[in-house]
Amino acid sequence: MSILRSLLLVPRNLVIALLRVYRAVISPLYGDVCRYYPSCSAFALGAVQEHGVAQGGWLAARRLARCHPWAEGGIDDVPLHEHSPYRRTRFGFVVIDRKA
């Protein structure tokens, strides 16, 4: 069963890798322009890590829709799960927490 659960994390970790590349290569070209904290790309990364590709992608899309020149901005953290069976590696990938 844990092999199946691990395989289900592959799409999530692929999106995490893409977001990490974006944050390392493209995001610095824009500078500090986001009206929210954390930045939109950091929010998207955290949302996908916490909620998966579908729900995390939806949260990130909603956040991007709110990010415009007239937005008030402010602190907007990713909603967290209380009991997640996963943990994050040092690079940010999501793996099964063996203790859960």
Side-chain angles (χ1 to χ4, degrees):
M1 182 57 117
S2 88
I3 292 174
L4 178 61
R5 285 176 63 193
S6 294
L7 286 174
L8 291 174
L9 292 175
V10 170
R12 182 185 298 200
N13 286 323
L14 285 173
V15 171
I16 289 169
L18 289 172
L19 286 166
R20 294 285 303 217
V21 168
Y22 172 84
R23 288 181 47 78
V25 176
I26 298 170
S27 187
L29 299 174
Y30 290 108
D32 190 17
V33 296
C34 194
R35 296 180 175 278
Y36 290 98
Y37 178 83
S39 69
C40 292
S41 61
F43 182 92
L45 179 62
V48 170
Q49 287 171 325
E50 188 69 23
H51 298 284
V53 176
Q55 186 177 2
W58 170 247
L59 290 169
R62 283 184 39 211
R63 166 68 178 274
L64 286 170
R66 291 192 316 263
C67 192
H68 52 76
W70 304 278
E72 188 175 321
I75 297 174
D76 182 22
D77 291 320
V78 175
L80 300 177
H81 282 163
E82 282 190 34
H83 303 288
S84 176
Y86 308 114
R87 67 177 175 83
R88 296 178 189 174
T89 66
R90 199 173 99 206
F91 189 74
F93 291 124
V94 176
V95 295
I96 297 172
D97 189 2
R98 298 290 178 201
K99 297 177 211 165

